[in-house]
Amino acid sequence: EADIYQTPRYLVIGTGKKITLECSQTMGHDKMYWYQQDPGMELHLIHYSYGVNSTEKGDLSSESTVSRIRTEHFPLTLESARPSHTSQYLCASSAPERGTSQYFGPGTRLLVL
Amino acid sequence: RKEVEQDPGPFNVPEGATVAFNCTYSNSASQSFFWYRQDCRKEPKLLMSVYSSGNEDGRFTAQLNRASQYISLLIRDSKLSDSATYLCVVTFSDQGGKLIFGQGTELSVKP
């Protein structure tokens, strides 16, 4: 089993609130990723990081931001949540070698009212 | 056109059937290949890597055809517990090794 964790698992929050989704891994992986996935739909990469102080935007534009101050931690923040942000957010990590597989966390289901 | 394409299904098959999923990719800078499985409302989990010579893991066989840019997954003697969405995943060397996911193929195995 992969050692990658996400909290909270479920979050229901009102419009305009600031939220931070936590992701941490204990495998020492340099590469970490955030995906967004709506029910029954495909995964969309929204952010990734190849190491501390490195963050990049993914293929799908997102109003969220990320930070990577420590190797094991890759939080995602929404400054002002909106109903359009309702989705599942999946964090993943992989070893530094090119082309290695990713391990996913259990996801955070976000509902913005 | 998506870089990694799959037939979205759903594939509805009876228990014990053999089912094959196909996946095509459009970037010749392909590097690594995987099949992931995603259960409803769960995270994707690595099912198996795909090697150039093809590989087998129990009832699951994966094959790769680089010339045709095509990957397949064969499931023999399907079980009810095989019901899930199967994701074809490719990394490309000109994209920093990021995993590019297909949209997934849904499989439903019925008794």
Side-chain angles (χ1 to χ4, degrees):
Chain A
E1 290 293 317
D3 296 322
I4 180 164
Y5 310 98
Q6 289 185 247
T7 57
R9 293 290 309 278
Y10 304 91
L11 179 60
V12 181
I13 202 162
T15 295
K17 300 291 186 185
K18 178 180 177 178
I19 59 172
T20 297
L21 307 185
E22 302 287 350
C23 176
S24 60
Q25 48 92 10
T26 58
M27 296 174 281
H29 286 167
D30 287 325
K31 295 182 178 179
M32 296 188 74
Y33 311 81
W34 276 104
Y35 293 86
Q36 186 174 342
Q37 186 179 36
D38 293 323
M41 305 298 284
E42 59 194 284
L43 285 160
H44 292 286
L45 180 67
I46 52 175
H47 297 284
Y48 62 99
S49 166
Y50 284 171
V52 170
N53 294 326
S54 150
T55 61
E56 302 285 345
K57 290 193 178 294
D59 307 317
L60 180 69
S61 174
S62 173
E63 292 167 350
S64 58
T65 59
V66 292
S67 62
R68 191 87 184 277
I69 297 171
R70 302 197 320 262
T71 298
E72 62 272 20
H73 196 213
F74 190 38
L76 179 145
T77 298
L78 276 164
E79 289 294 332
S80 179
R82 292 208 301 270
S84 61
H85 296 140
T86 294
S87 190
Q88 176 168 247
Y89 294 84
L90 289 155
C91 180
S93 72
S94 65
E97 293 78 24
R98 277 179 174 263
T100 55
S101 60
Q102 290 178 6
Y103 296 94
F104 282 83
T108 293
R109 290 193 177 276
L110 174 64
L111 172 61
V112 184
L113 303 174
Chain B
R1 185 186 172 190
K2 291 181 183 294
E3 284 189 289
V4 179
E5 292 204 70
Q6 297 180 247
D7 181 344
F11 283 40
N12 297 305
V13 303
E15 253 185 308
T18 295
V19 59
F21 302 136
N22 300 322
C23 172
T24 57
Y25 58 94
S26 57
N27 185 342
S28 59
S30 59
Q31 187 175 35
S32 304
F33 310 88
F34 308 96
W35 283 101
Y36 274 71
R37 169 192 170 132
Q38 185 173 25
D39 291 293
C40 187
R41 303 175 75 82
K42 298 282 191 181
E43 74 274 23
K45 291 189 176 180
L46 179 65
L47 178 66
M48 58 196 302
S49 301
V50 185
Y51 303 118
S52 296
S53 55
N55 48 300
E56 191 173 302
D57 182 2
R59 298 180 294 109
F60 299 85
T61 300
Q63 297 216 310
L64 166 65
N65 184 323
R66 282 189 186 268
S68 302
Q69 297 185 171
Y70 168 96
I71 306 155
S72 66
L73 177 69
L74 185 77
I75 305 176
R76 291 183 300 279
D77 187 23
S78 53
K79 312 289 185 193
L80 297 177
S81 57
D82 293 334
S83 296
T85 295
Y86 290 83
L87 300 163
C88 173
V89 184
V90 184
T91 68
F92 301 101
S93 57
D94 61 357
Q95 294 194 39
K98 283 187 294 181
L99 270 65
I100 308 300
F101 286 81
Q103 68 267 50
T105 298
E106 185 184 345
L107 171 66
S108 179
V109 181
K110 307 289 189 185

